PDB file of all heavy atoms in Angstrom:
ATOM      1  N   ILE I 135      21.920  56.675 -26.792  1.00 98.00           N
ATOM      2  CA  ILE I 135      22.218  55.297 -26.326  1.00 98.00           C
ATOM      3  C   ILE I 135      23.320  54.727 -27.209  1.00 98.00           C
ATOM      4  O   ILE I 135      24.238  54.045 -26.703  1.00 98.00           O
ATOM      5  CB  ILE I 135      20.941  54.459 -26.312  1.00 98.00           C
ATOM      6  CG1 ILE I 135      20.038  54.872 -25.171  1.00 98.00           C
ATOM      7  CG2 ILE I 135      21.297  52.962 -26.195  1.00 98.00           C
ATOM      8  CD1 ILE I 135      18.592  54.275 -25.181  1.00 98.00           C
ATOM      9  N   ALA I 136      23.227  54.955 -28.536  1.00 98.00           N
ATOM     10  CA  ALA I 136      24.204  54.395 -29.420  1.00 98.00           C
ATOM     11  C   ALA I 136      25.601  55.003 -29.226  1.00 98.00           C
ATOM     12  O   ALA I 136      26.634  54.360 -29.595  1.00 98.00           O
ATOM     13  CB  ALA I 136      23.748  54.600 -30.852  1.00 98.00           C
ATOM     14  N   ILE I 137      25.688  56.172 -28.651  1.00 98.00           N
ATOM     15  CA  ILE I 137      26.974  56.773 -28.372  1.00 98.00           C
ATOM     16  C   ILE I 137      27.666  56.055 -27.196  1.00 98.00           C
ATOM     17  O   ILE I 137      28.889  55.905 -27.189  1.00 98.00           O
ATOM     18  CB  ILE I 137      26.805  58.282 -27.997  1.00 98.00           C
ATOM     19  CG1 ILE I 137      26.321  59.100 -29.213  1.00 98.00           C
ATOM     20  CG2 ILE I 137      28.135  58.883 -27.482  1.00 98.00           C
ATOM     21  CD1 ILE I 137      25.975  60.525 -28.914  1.00 98.00           C
ATOM     22  N   PHE I 138      26.891  55.618 -26.235  1.00 98.00           N
ATOM     23  CA  PHE I 138      27.441  55.087 -24.988  1.00 98.00           C
ATOM     24  C   PHE I 138      27.488  53.573 -24.903  1.00 98.00           C
ATOM     25  O   PHE I 138      28.278  53.016 -24.161  1.00 98.00           O
ATOM     26  CB  PHE I 138      26.634  55.644 -23.785  1.00 98.00           C
ATOM     27  CG  PHE I 138      26.937  57.074 -23.515  1.00 98.00           C
ATOM     28  CD1 PHE I 138      26.246  58.067 -24.181  1.00 98.00           C
ATOM     29  CD2 PHE I 138      27.961  57.453 -22.609  1.00 98.00           C
ATOM     30  CE1 PHE I 138      26.510  59.411 -23.916  1.00 98.00           C
ATOM     31  CE2 PHE I 138      28.227  58.778 -22.367  1.00 98.00           C
ATOM     32  CZ  PHE I 138      27.513  59.761 -23.043  1.00 98.00           C
ATOM     33  N   PHE I 139      26.578  52.894 -25.629  1.00 98.00           N
ATOM     34  CA  PHE I 139      26.498  51.456 -25.451  1.00 98.00           C
ATOM     35  C   PHE I 139      26.397  50.710 -26.762  1.00 98.00           C
ATOM     36  O   PHE I 139      25.727  51.156 -27.707  1.00 98.00           O
ATOM     37  CB  PHE I 139      25.221  51.071 -24.620  1.00 98.00           C
ATOM     38  CG  PHE I 139      25.301  51.548 -23.176  1.00 98.00           C
ATOM     39  CD1 PHE I 139      24.721  52.730 -22.806  1.00 98.00           C
ATOM     40  CD2 PHE I 139      25.934  50.771 -22.217  1.00 98.00           C
ATOM     41  CE1 PHE I 139      24.782  53.219 -21.472  1.00 98.00           C
ATOM     42  CE2 PHE I 139      26.017  51.193 -20.886  1.00 98.00           C
ATOM     43  CZ  PHE I 139      25.454  52.395 -20.521  1.00 98.00           C
ATOM     44  N   ARG I 140      27.068  49.542 -26.822  1.00 98.00           N
ATOM     45  CA  ARG I 140      26.859  48.633 -27.940  1.00 98.00           C
ATOM     46  C   ARG I 140      25.600  47.850 -27.675  1.00 98.00           C
ATOM     47  O   ARG I 140      25.179  47.690 -26.548  1.00 98.00           O
ATOM     48  CB  ARG I 140      28.019  47.628 -27.986  1.00 98.00           C
ATOM     49  CG  ARG I 140      29.347  48.209 -28.455  1.00 98.00           C
ATOM     50  CD  ARG I 140      30.360  47.118 -28.719  1.00 98.00           C
ATOM     51  NE  ARG I 140      30.744  46.481 -27.449  1.00 98.00           N
ATOM     52  CZ  ARG I 140      31.732  46.885 -26.656  1.00 98.00           C
ATOM     53  NH1 ARG I 140      32.483  47.935 -27.013  1.00 98.00           N
ATOM     54  NH2 ARG I 140      32.051  46.237 -25.538  1.00 98.00           N
ATOM     55  N   ASP I 141      24.972  47.371 -28.749  1.00 98.00           N
ATOM     56  CA  ASP I 141      23.708  46.628 -28.621  1.00 98.00           C
ATOM     57  C   ASP I 141      23.867  45.492 -27.623  1.00 98.00           C
ATOM     58  O   ASP I 141      22.980  45.199 -26.828  1.00 98.00           O
ATOM     59  CB  ASP I 141      23.271  46.043 -29.947  1.00 98.00           C
ATOM     60  CG  ASP I 141      22.634  47.133 -30.853  1.00 98.00           C
ATOM     61  OD1 ASP I 141      22.379  48.225 -30.327  1.00 98.00           O
ATOM     62  OD2 ASP I 141      22.374  46.835 -32.023  1.00 98.00           O
ATOM     63  N   SER I 142      25.059  44.824 -27.650  1.00 98.00           N
ATOM     64  CA  SER I 142      25.286  43.642 -26.804  1.00 98.00           C
ATOM     65  C   SER I 142      25.358  43.987 -25.292  1.00 98.00           C
ATOM     66  O   SER I 142      25.302  43.109 -24.473  1.00 98.00           O
ATOM     67  CB  SER I 142      26.549  42.900 -27.248  1.00 98.00           C
ATOM     68  OG  SER I 142      27.656  43.772 -27.078  1.00 98.00           O
ATOM     69  N   GLU I 143      25.527  45.271 -25.002  1.00 98.00           N
ATOM     70  CA  GLU I 143      25.614  45.692 -23.602  1.00 98.00           C
ATOM     71  C   GLU I 143      24.254  46.007 -22.988  1.00 98.00           C
ATOM     72  O   GLU I 143      24.148  46.316 -21.822  1.00 98.00           O
ATOM     73  CB  GLU I 143      26.529  46.901 -23.476  1.00 98.00           C
ATOM     74  CG  GLU I 143      27.949  46.635 -23.796  1.00 98.00           C
ATOM     75  CD  GLU I 143      28.799  47.922 -23.745  1.00 98.00           C
ATOM     76  OE1 GLU I 143      28.393  48.916 -24.423  1.00 98.00           O
ATOM     77  OE2 GLU I 143      29.845  47.922 -23.056  1.00 98.00           O
ATOM     78  N   ILE I 144      23.225  46.027 -23.854  1.00 98.00           N
ATOM     79  CA  ILE I 144      21.908  46.408 -23.424  1.00 98.00           C
ATOM     80  C   ILE I 144      21.056  45.146 -23.302  1.00 98.00           C
ATOM     81  O   ILE I 144      20.861  44.391 -24.245  1.00 98.00           O
ATOM     82  CB  ILE I 144      21.212  47.358 -24.426  1.00 98.00           C
ATOM     83  CG1 ILE I 144      22.116  48.594 -24.611  1.00 98.00           C
ATOM     84  CG2 ILE I 144      19.846  47.781 -23.940  1.00 98.00           C
ATOM     85  CD1 ILE I 144      21.716  49.487 -25.784  1.00 98.00           C
ATOM     86  N   LEU I 145      20.597  44.843 -22.034  1.00 98.00           N
ATOM     87  CA  LEU I 145      20.021  43.544 -21.794  1.00 98.00           C
ATOM     88  C   LEU I 145      18.502  43.641 -21.715  1.00 98.00           C
ATOM     89  O   LEU I 145      17.950  44.621 -21.157  1.00 98.00           O
ATOM     90  CB  LEU I 145      20.535  42.995 -20.465  1.00 98.00           C
ATOM     91  CG  LEU I 145      22.073  42.897 -20.350  1.00 98.00           C
ATOM     92  CD1 LEU I 145      22.494  42.210 -19.038  1.00 98.00           C
ATOM     93  CD2 LEU I 145      22.667  42.148 -21.546  1.00 98.00           C
ATOM     94  N   SER I 146      17.851  42.637 -22.272  1.00 97.00           N
ATOM     95  CA  SER I 146      16.385  42.502 -22.161  1.00 97.00           C
ATOM     96  C   SER I 146      16.085  41.383 -21.174  1.00 97.00           C
ATOM     97  O   SER I 146      16.583  40.288 -21.359  1.00 97.00           O
ATOM     98  CB  SER I 146      15.766  42.178 -23.502  1.00 97.00           C
ATOM     99  OG  SER I 146      15.849  43.280 -24.383  1.00 97.00           O
ATOM    100  N   TYR I 147      15.348  41.664 -20.174  1.00 97.00           N
ATOM    101  CA  TYR I 147      14.987  40.614 -19.206  1.00 97.00           C
ATOM    102  C   TYR I 147      13.671  41.010 -18.520  1.00 97.00           C
ATOM    103  O   TYR I 147      13.314  42.200 -18.518  1.00 97.00           O
ATOM    104  CB  TYR I 147      16.101  40.405 -18.168  1.00 97.00           C
ATOM    105  CG  TYR I 147      16.457  41.700 -17.381  1.00 97.00           C
ATOM    106  CD1 TYR I 147      15.951  41.823 -16.084  1.00 97.00           C
ATOM    107  CD2 TYR I 147      17.261  42.638 -17.873  1.00 97.00           C
ATOM    108  CE1 TYR I 147      16.251  42.941 -15.324  1.00 97.00           C
ATOM    109  CE2 TYR I 147      17.565  43.772 -17.167  1.00 97.00           C
ATOM    110  CZ  TYR I 147      17.085  43.975 -15.889  1.00 97.00           C
ATOM    111  OH  TYR I 147      17.390  45.044 -15.144  1.00 97.00           O
ATOM    112  N   SER I 148      13.017  40.015 -17.940  1.00 96.00           N
ATOM    113  CA  SER I 148      11.829  40.376 -17.171  1.00 96.00           C
ATOM    114  C   SER I 148      12.105  40.296 -15.701  1.00 96.00           C
ATOM    115  O   SER I 148      13.013  39.543 -15.261  1.00 96.00           O
ATOM    116  CB  SER I 148      10.623  39.549 -17.551  1.00 96.00           C
ATOM    117  OG  SER I 148      10.954  38.374 -18.139  1.00 96.00           O
ATOM    118  N   ARG I 149      11.378  41.077 -14.951  1.00 96.00           N
ATOM    119  CA  ARG I 149      11.523  41.038 -13.491  1.00 96.00           C
ATOM    120  C   ARG I 149      10.209  40.446 -12.923  1.00 96.00           C
ATOM    121  O   ARG I 149       9.126  40.676 -13.506  1.00 96.00           O
ATOM    122  CB  ARG I 149      11.672  42.460 -12.937  1.00 96.00           C
ATOM    123  CG  ARG I 149      12.965  43.144 -13.393  1.00 96.00           C
ATOM    124  CD  ARG I 149      13.035  44.558 -12.912  1.00 96.00           C
ATOM    125  NE  ARG I 149      11.913  45.407 -13.353  1.00 96.00           N
ATOM    126  CZ  ARG I 149      11.838  46.699 -13.191  1.00 96.00           C
ATOM    127  NH1 ARG I 149      12.815  47.343 -12.620  1.00 96.00           N
ATOM    128  NH2 ARG I 149      10.791  47.335 -13.638  1.00 96.00           N
ATOM    129  N   ALA I 150      10.350  39.766 -11.812  1.00 95.00           N
ATOM    130  CA  ALA I 150       9.176  39.099 -11.226  1.00 95.00           C
ATOM    131  C   ALA I 150       8.080  40.097 -10.885  1.00 95.00           C
ATOM    132  O   ALA I 150       6.886  39.756 -10.894  1.00 95.00           O
ATOM    133  CB  ALA I 150       9.613  38.314 -10.010  1.00 95.00           C
ATOM    134  N   ASN I 151       8.462  41.354 -10.587  1.00 95.00           N
ATOM    135  CA  ASN I 151       7.453  42.307 -10.174  1.00 95.00           C
ATOM    136  C   ASN I 151       6.926  43.199 -11.313  1.00 95.00           C
ATOM    137  O   ASN I 151       6.130  44.076 -11.090  1.00 95.00           O
ATOM    138  CB  ASN I 151       7.950  43.172  -9.019  1.00 95.00           C
ATOM    139  CG  ASN I 151       9.053  44.095  -9.415  1.00 95.00           C
ATOM    140  OD1 ASN I 151       9.559  43.948 -10.494  1.00 95.00           O
ATOM    141  ND2 ASN I 151       9.461  44.944  -8.519  1.00 95.00           N
ATOM    142  N   ASP I 152       7.340  42.949 -12.556  1.00 95.00           N
ATOM    143  CA  ASP I 152       6.889  43.782 -13.672  1.00 95.00           C
ATOM    144  C   ASP I 152       5.344  43.855 -13.725  1.00 95.00           C
ATOM    145  O   ASP I 152       4.811  44.978 -13.959  1.00 95.00           O
ATOM    146  CB  ASP I 152       7.420  43.252 -14.996  1.00 95.00           C
ATOM    147  CG  ASP I 152       8.916  43.620 -15.241  1.00 95.00           C
ATOM    148  OD1 ASP I 152       9.360  44.602 -14.580  1.00 95.00           O
ATOM    149  OD2 ASP I 152       9.551  42.972 -16.037  1.00 95.00           O
ATOM    150  N   PRO I 153       4.598  42.770 -13.503  1.00 96.00           N
ATOM    151  CA  PRO I 153       3.095  42.917 -13.583  1.00 96.00           C
ATOM    152  C   PRO I 153       2.568  43.803 -12.461  1.00 96.00           C
ATOM    153  O   PRO I 153       1.393  44.213 -12.520  1.00 96.00           O
ATOM    154  CB  PRO I 153       2.594  41.471 -13.431  1.00 96.00           C
ATOM    155  CG  PRO I 153       3.780  40.613 -13.712  1.00 96.00           C
ATOM    156  CD  PRO I 153       5.020  41.393 -13.309  1.00 96.00           C
ATOM    157  N   TRP I 154       3.358  44.062 -11.419  1.00 97.00           N
ATOM    158  CA  TRP I 154       2.919  44.921 -10.312  1.00 97.00           C
ATOM    159  C   TRP I 154       3.269  46.404 -10.573  1.00 97.00           C
ATOM    160  O   TRP I 154       2.856  47.245  -9.808  1.00 97.00           O
ATOM    161  CB  TRP I 154       3.495  44.417  -8.995  1.00 97.00           C
ATOM    162  CG  TRP I 154       3.110  43.031  -8.727  1.00 97.00           C
ATOM    163  CD1 TRP I 154       3.856  41.899  -8.891  1.00 97.00           C
ATOM    164  CD2 TRP I 154       1.832  42.592  -8.287  1.00 97.00           C
ATOM    165  NE1 TRP I 154       3.118  40.800  -8.585  1.00 97.00           N
ATOM    166  CE2 TRP I 154       1.897  41.155  -8.174  1.00 97.00           C
ATOM    167  CE3 TRP I 154       0.634  43.211  -7.902  1.00 97.00           C
ATOM    168  CZ2 TRP I 154       0.781  40.408  -7.771  1.00 97.00           C
ATOM    169  CZ3 TRP I 154      -0.446  42.451  -7.478  1.00 97.00           C
ATOM    170  CH2 TRP I 154      -0.365  41.079  -7.442  1.00 97.00           C
ATOM    171  N   ILE I 155       4.027  46.611 -11.659  1.00 96.00           N
ATOM    172  CA  ILE I 155       4.456  48.000 -11.999  1.00 96.00           C
ATOM    173  C   ILE I 155       3.655  48.480 -13.188  1.00 96.00           C
ATOM    174  O   ILE I 155       3.245  49.637 -13.233  1.00 96.00           O
ATOM    175  CB  ILE I 155       5.937  48.012 -12.269  1.00 96.00           C
ATOM    176  CG1 ILE I 155       6.708  47.745 -10.985  1.00 96.00           C
ATOM    177  CG2 ILE I 155       6.377  49.354 -12.888  1.00 96.00           C
ATOM    178  CD1 ILE I 155       8.180  47.498 -11.173  1.00 96.00           C
TER     179      ILE I 155
END
Side-chain angles (χ1 to χ4, degrees):
I135 288 169
I137 294 173
F138 287 86
F139 292 97
R140 290 189 292 272
D141 283 350
S142 60
E143 294 176 308
I144 305 169
L145 305 186
S146 290
Y147 60 99
S148 22
R149 298 176 300 189
N151 66 354
D152 282 340
W154 301 101
I155 292 169

